[in-house]
Amino acid sequence: MKKDINIKEVAKKAGVSIATVSRVFNNSGTVKESTRKKIEAVIEETGYYPNVLARELAEKKTHLIGLIVHSMIGEGIPRMINGVNEMLEDNDYNLLIACTNGILESEIKHFEIFRSKRVEGILFATREFKEEHRDLIQKIPIPVVVLLQRTDKEGISFVTFDNYTFAKEATEKLIGLGHRNFAFIGGPATSVNSRERQLGFRDGLKENGIELDTNLSRNGDFTIESGYQQMEEILAIEKEITAVIAVNDGMAIGALNCIQDHDIAVPNDISVLGLDDTVLAKASRLKLSGVHYSYSKLGKQGAGLLLKQIESDEALFEEVVLPYEIHLRESVNKR
Amino acid sequence: MKKDINIKEVAKKAGVSIATVSRVFNNSGTVKESTRKKIEAVIEETGYYPNVLARELAEKKTHLIGLIVHSMIGEGIPRMINGVNEMLEDNDYNLLIACTNGILESEIKHFEIFRSKRVEGILFATREFKEEHRDLIQKIPIPVVVLLQRTDKEGISFVTFDNYTFAKEATEKLIGLGHRNFAFIGGPATSVNSRERQLGFRDGLKENGIELDTNLSRNGDFTIESGYQQMEEILAIEKEITAVIAVNDGMAIGALNCIQDHDIAVPNDISVLGLDDTVLAKASRLKLSGVHYSYSKLGKQGAGLLLKQIESDEALFEEVVLPYEIHLRESVNKR
């Protein structure tokens, strides 16, 4: 391993004092041109890197933001990260990211690491925002904005999608097309987003006087395979359904493939809708219906809100819920 | 904004000396239990966070690794990050990630940020590994491992996939099935991985005495739409082709959809293969043929190699090229 070199060794190699090396780095005081050249040559040769930390601590501004996410997998969060990066670049801030798998100890540890690295604010996404997260954030003396979830706590800002409402509205759109016999494929019980969408679906039916056999509301694990398997079980219970809603595109595609493998026609016999709008919706031969909401915009807005809080002297609190669009495509038909 | 608090204020609030607060934090020296409790209460109340940096600098070990990537979009890099995280967690290291869009200034800046944050090693992925990257890395006195590309430079370790070889072998497999009339859809010219695959394809044909109309080797931008469009142009030039290879699944799916929209049968008239094996290959109704290589393993091996370099006293240099598997599925047939 290459050895790190300190300022003393640079000074020795260049045959100058430590103070002179320091002056070259800080562009402070006068240094003879020939001396500067000599020091720069040593720096070049040794790869010496000055103690930026000391300078940052003096300035107090690091122009650094920390982002903590629970997962990188899927289309959404990477796009959200791009949105965050874009907003920060426009404002001359830099981003460091940590991925925790939603494990509380890892989240706590990364809050600490980011603080020790002097980030000026933290963007935080987790699988399920809990009391522990509230306590953690309230103890932190730098601004924090929560992404992708409500905090249900005055004082902790968030930017999220309206999962409940768009799931309810998509359900009502299918009811408006004449559908009465529904099945639903949700995600794991640990996913708040999935639970909110499931609730929107149920309330959409309830408010329209439609009863749901609870056996027809099932949970997969977001994969294509699990959508296929849950659909298999739904068809074993009840062949009379005319519409299936899945919380994400992967499971909707799995359901669609399963239905077609049973020689049941999509959309003429059964309509399929994913509460999502990823590249998968375009990959299937039958254009999948879904709901569009922009992760990139969410990242941008979250970062913007955080910067506003960093630059303000007062405590700011904002709840931002982003808009969505429902797209009915080839996979959905009238009943 | 909540204000940061310093050790002086903690000491004042607790009615003790700064040295006493410091002793509580460092678990050094004796502090009366009641005094300790008082200080801990103030810490709890104010959210004071000690200057971890100073301690880290003294210890020299931060147990922190930096990962610089050019993009987060797509299935590969997020999986690679998971692999890196897994290996680091097993070894009690933490990971900070930066995303640069492959812009050199941003890459240089993040190398600097990571060094100033005292990471012990850096994992580096970029769109195209160039002379500038070599110069940059050779000046850095901590270990660096390049991911997803060859460095072509003794002394800079890398872990990558064998793009050229698997593209050549996949091409030869189709030749073995009787195909002679090929088309190819590559990615943007800036993508090294795509260029290597394209070269493997060309050499596969050449070594088997098959000539290629250069108009039938085209470039898209990795999206489904661009695959569709390039296939449209290929079919306008030459309807007699029997096999299409695309460098990624998105463009292969686009090509497949385009062929079917022309009422040409896949795989009976034209076979389709993507040099990739993402979730898209499963989403299409016709299971797409492709090449499997594990981004997660690449991340793990890269991180493992970096840790070995950090923990070793000698300069280590390794070139790691990971294995692959070719999967012929429904989208490919004999000629």
Side-chain angles (χ1 to χ4, degrees):
Chain A
M1 187 195 137
K2 289 177 269 181
K3 286 274 177 227
D4 220 333
I5 181 168
N6 65 29
I7 193 165
K8 225 179 190 166
E9 292 161 305
V10 173
K12 199 173 156 202
K13 263 182 178 282
V16 300
S17 72
I18 292 173
T20 308
V21 177
S22 170
R23 275 201 293 277
V24 167
F25 263 111
N26 297 314
N27 284 317
S28 65
T30 4
V31 178
K32 251 203 299 181
E33 196 48 34
S34 61
T35 309
R36 179 183 299 276
K37 285 245 163 79
K38 210 158 37 175
I39 293 169
E40 280 169 358
V42 173
I43 289 163
E44 177 82 4
E45 179 202 330
T46 57
Y48 168 67
Y49 197 85
N51 193 341
V52 177
L53 289 177
R55 268 192 283 158
E56 276 175 3
L57 287 172
E59 286 173 19
K60 279 214 156 187
K61 297 289 281 181
T62 57
H63 279 255
L64 208 55
I65 297 296
L67 168 64
I68 298 173
V69 294
H70 54 289
S71 165
M72 296 270 179
I73 301 298
E75 215 177 288
I77 290 182
R79 286 192 193 281
M80 181 180 87
I81 293 173
N82 275 5
V84 169
N85 248 331
E86 220 174 288
M87 174 60 81
L88 294 185
E89 266 165 30
D90 287 350
N91 289 277
D92 201 24
Y93 276 78
N94 296 302
L95 181 69
L96 295 181
I97 306 159
C99 185
T100 61
N101 288 315
I103 296 160
L104 185 64
E105 298 88 78
S106 174
E107 293 174 333
I108 292 172
K109 193 173 63 186
H110 283 97
F111 267 102
E112 284 181 7
I113 291 172
F114 277 143
R115 285 210 55 209
S116 79
K117 297 305 170 194
R118 317 282 310 172
V119 301
E120 295 186 41
I122 293 175
L123 294 164
F124 179 55
T126 182
R127 215 174 296 282
E128 178 163 9
F129 192 82
K130 290 185 183 161
E131 201 54 42
E132 290 96 314
H133 296 119
R134 283 180 207 122
D135 294 347
L136 183 61
I137 290 171
Q138 285 179 323
K139 268 188 214 155
I140 287 177
I142 56 170
V144 175
V145 170
V146 171
L147 302 178
L148 293 172
Q149 259 175 81
R150 292 168 189 278
T151 57
D152 289 327
K153 183 85 185 173
E154 184 83 17
I156 304 181
S157 298
F158 63 81
V159 182
T160 191
F161 298 126
D162 204 353
N163 294 295
Y164 172 84
T165 308
F166 69 61
K168 190 163 172 247
E169 195 175 315
T171 306
E172 285 168 342
K173 271 215 193 288
L174 294 180
I175 294 170
L177 291 174
H179 293 277
R180 292 293 176 273
N181 300 313
F182 284 86
F184 189 87
I185 306 177
T190 48
S191 163
V192 176
N193 287 350
S194 168
R195 289 199 324 252
E196 286 178 356
R197 292 174 197 182
Q198 201 148 3
L199 210 60
F201 165 72
R202 286 187 183 177
D203 285 358
L205 293 190
K206 207 185 279 171
E207 289 181 17
N208 285 277
I210 298 171
E211 274 188 47
L212 179 76
D213 177 352
T214 52
N215 280 322
L216 299 180
S217 178
R218 310 188 68 85
N219 296 296
D221 65 2
F222 293 134
T223 61
I224 294 177
E225 291 80 2
S226 76
Y228 194 103
Q229 194 196 320
Q230 293 306 322
M231 194 66 221
E232 195 75 78
E233 294 181 29
I234 287 164
L235 290 174
I237 297 168
E238 174 62 65
K239 284 225 173 359
E240 298 305 304
I241 59 154
T242 69
V244 182
I245 296 178
V247 292
N248 78 332
D249 279 349
M251 296 194 295
I253 297 268
L256 194 153
N257 289 349
C258 175
I259 294 167
Q260 293 187 331
D261 283 352
H262 280 262
D263 287 326
I264 301 171
V266 179
N268 289 343
D269 295 327
I270 302 182
S271 290
V272 179
L273 183 141
L275 295 170
D276 210 351
D277 187 25
T278 66
V279 68
L280 288 177
K282 298 186 212 160
S284 75
R285 273 290 286 164
L286 211 56
K287 301 284 172 294
L288 190 65
S289 303
V291 183
H292 183 76
Y293 33 88
S294 169
Y295 277 90
S296 157
K297 274 192 196 141
L298 188 144
K300 249 185 165 170
Q301 290 224 20
L305 183 51
L306 187 70
L307 293 184
K308 218 164 76 180
Q309 299 197 358
I310 289 170
E311 278 149 24
S312 160
D313 270 341
E314 287 161 62
L316 289 174
F317 170 53
E318 277 185 56
E319 301 187 346
V320 181
V321 178
L322 294 174
Y324 58 86
E325 278 168 34
I326 297 176
H327 295 290
L328 298 186
R329 303 194 189 98
E330 288 170 13
S331 71
V332 158
N333 211 344
K334 269 194 231 171
R335 190 62 205 158
Chain B
M1 186 196 137
K2 289 177 269 181
K3 287 273 177 229
D4 219 332
I5 182 168
N6 65 29
I7 193 165
K8 227 182 193 165
E9 291 162 307
V10 173
K12 200 175 155 199
K13 262 182 178 285
V16 300
S17 72
I18 291 173
T20 309
V21 177
S22 169
R23 275 201 294 277
V24 167
F25 263 112
N26 297 314
N27 285 317
S28 66
T30 3
V31 179
K32 251 202 300 184
E33 195 49 33
S34 61
T35 309
R36 179 182 300 276
K37 285 246 163 79
K38 211 157 39 174
I39 292 168
E40 280 171 356
V42 173
I43 289 163
E44 177 83 1
E45 180 202 329
T46 58
Y48 169 67
Y49 197 87
N51 193 340
V52 176
L53 289 177
R55 267 192 285 158
E56 277 175 2
L57 287 172
E59 286 173 17
K60 278 212 159 190
K61 297 288 280 180
T62 58
H63 279 256
L64 207 55
I65 297 296
L67 167 64
I68 297 173
V69 294
H70 54 290
S71 165
M72 296 270 178
I73 301 298
E75 216 177 288
I77 290 182
R79 287 191 193 282
M80 181 181 88
I81 293 174
N82 275 4
V84 169
N85 248 330
E86 220 174 287
M87 175 58 83
L88 295 186
E89 267 165 29
D90 287 351
N91 288 279
D92 200 24
Y93 276 79
N94 296 302
L95 180 68
L96 295 181
I97 307 159
C99 184
T100 61
N101 289 314
I103 296 161
L104 184 65
E105 298 89 78
S106 173
E107 294 173 334
I108 292 172
K109 192 173 64 187
H110 284 98
F111 267 101
E112 285 181 7
I113 290 172
F114 276 143
R115 286 211 53 209
S116 78
K117 298 304 169 194
R118 317 283 310 173
V119 301
E120 295 186 43
I122 293 175
L123 294 163
F124 179 56
T126 183
R127 214 175 298 282
E128 178 163 8
F129 192 83
K130 291 184 180 159
E131 200 55 42
E132 290 96 315
H133 296 121
R134 280 179 209 124
D135 293 347
L136 184 61
I137 290 171
Q138 285 179 323
K139 270 188 214 156
I140 288 177
I142 56 171
V144 175
V145 171
V146 171
L147 303 178
L148 293 170
Q149 257 174 82
R150 293 169 188 278
T151 57
D152 289 327
K153 183 85 187 176
E154 184 82 19
I156 304 180
S157 297
F158 63 80
V159 183
T160 192
F161 299 126
D162 204 353
N163 294 295
Y164 172 86
T165 309
F166 68 63
K168 188 162 173 250
E169 195 176 315
T171 306
E172 286 167 342
K173 272 216 193 287
L174 293 181
I175 295 170
L177 290 174
H179 293 276
R180 292 293 176 274
N181 299 313
F182 283 86
F184 189 85
I185 306 177
T190 49
S191 164
V192 176
N193 287 349
S194 168
R195 289 197 325 250
E196 286 178 356
R197 292 173 198 183
Q198 201 148 4
L199 210 61
F201 164 73
R202 285 185 185 180
D203 285 358
L205 293 191
K206 207 186 279 173
E207 290 181 17
N208 285 277
I210 298 172
E211 273 188 48
L212 178 75
D213 177 351
T214 51
N215 280 320
L216 298 179
S217 179
R218 309 189 68 86
N219 295 296
D221 64 3
F222 293 135
T223 62
I224 294 177
E225 291 79 3
S226 76
Y228 194 103
Q229 195 197 319
Q230 293 306 322
M231 194 65 221
E232 195 73 77
E233 295 181 29
I234 288 166
L235 290 175
I237 298 168
E238 175 62 65
K239 283 225 173 0
E240 298 303 305
I241 60 155
T242 69
V244 182
I245 296 179
V247 291
N248 78 331
D249 280 349
M251 295 195 295
I253 296 268
L256 195 152
N257 289 350
C258 174
I259 295 166
Q260 293 187 331
D261 284 351
H262 279 263
D263 287 326
I264 300 171
V266 179
N268 288 345
D269 294 327
I270 302 183
S271 290
V272 179
L273 182 140
L275 295 170
D276 209 353
D277 187 26
T278 66
V279 68
L280 288 178
K282 298 186 211 160
S284 74
R285 274 291 286 164
L286 210 58
K287 302 283 172 293
L288 190 65
S289 302
V291 183
H292 183 76
Y293 34 87
S294 170
Y295 277 89
S296 157
K297 272 191 199 143
L298 187 144
K300 250 186 163 166
Q301 290 224 22
L305 183 51
L306 188 70
L307 293 183
K308 217 163 76 178
Q309 299 197 358
I310 290 171
E311 279 149 24
S312 161
D313 272 340
E314 288 162 62
L316 290 173
F317 170 54
E318 277 186 54
E319 301 187 346
V320 181
V321 179
L322 293 174
Y324 58 87
E325 279 169 33
I326 296 175
H327 295 290
L328 298 186
R329 303 195 190 96
E330 289 170 11
S331 70
V332 159
N333 210 344
K334 270 194 230 171
R335 189 60 202 162

